[in-house]
Amino acid sequence: GDSVTQMEGPVTLSEEAFLTINCTYTATGYPSLFWYVQYPGEGLQLLLKATKADDKGSNKGFEATYRKETTSFHLEKGSVQVSDSAVYFCALPLGSSASKIIFGSGTRLSIRP
Amino acid sequence: KAGVTQTPRYLIKTRGQQVTLSCSPISGHRSVSWYQQTPGQGLQFLFEYFSETQRNKGNFPGRFSGRQFSNSRSEMNVSTLELGDSALYLCASSLGTSGRRTYNEQFFGPGTRLTVL
């Protein structure tokens, strides 16, 4: 069935370090792919999305490229900040209206000053 | 534009009781989805309502039910609570238009933290 596999956390980095969080998916057809972020005590926010193969989603310095050949959607940021500390979820929307979302297990990111 | 609101934000119940959670979507949104978030199982889809009808359903027992009103507000009910129902319950709203498949961004509320003792 449809699924999302995400890199286990927690991940701890120093400020200005390079970040990669791996995500691979299994799905029929050509779904959209998302990254959501959850800051402490808050709900989820859509960070970025890609709707077709080779699309690159970007927002707030984060990027992810939809790779159909490797079924991957890895999240990257060139220089992380303390304010990036949060839990990141890779996600796969399903259904005719894409309203059912399958989430990865989440990766907790902590950035040291 | 006001975001998705959920009430109450925190709730403590005992085993065997039932609970009702409420979600008010963004104005103009007709779809409301519910998710359960636990440390062990992560984020899991419960169900989605669109125009007062359940359109999608996850793999949860019948103790979990929901409904949607004509103003798109939604409620979720859990009967005969078990300890394992302790979780953060998130609701999300979207335009939810049907027809040709397009992505409708879901906007999440802050969640209701349910603790079952």
Side-chain angles (χ1 to χ4, degrees), chain B residues 43-62:
Chain B
L43 273 158
Q44 294 185 286
F45 174 80
L46 279 153
F47 30 66
E48 181 220 1
Y49 284 85
F50 177 77
S51 292
E52 301 179 66
T53 301
Q54 188 180 84
R55 186 161 68 171
N56 283 295
K57 189 177 185 308
N59 298 322
F60 278 79

Side-chain angles (χ1 to χ4, degrees), chain A residues 21-89:
Chain A
I21 301 177
N22 290 337
C23 170
T24 57
Y25 68 91
T26 302
T28 53
Y30 304 99
S32 297
L33 293 167
F34 309 136
W35 278 99
Y36 279 87
V37 59
Q38 186 174 34
Y39 297 102
E42 298 184 15
L44 297 170
Q45 299 176 27
L46 179 65
L47 180 60
L48 55 82
K49 68 177 185 280
T51 57
K52 60 183 187 297
D54 299 325
D55 259 5
K56 179 185 281 189
S58 61
N59 186 25
K60 299 181 180 180
F62 290 90
E63 293 184 336
T65 302
Y66 187 156
R67 302 282 188 203
K68 180 167 158 295
E69 62 278 9
T70 54
T71 61
S72 65
F73 193 54
H74 305 322
L75 182 69
E76 296 181 334
K77 186 172 185 181
S79 177
V80 293
Q81 306 300 314
V82 172
S83 58
D84 295 327
S85 298
V87 182
Y88 293 82
F89 294 91

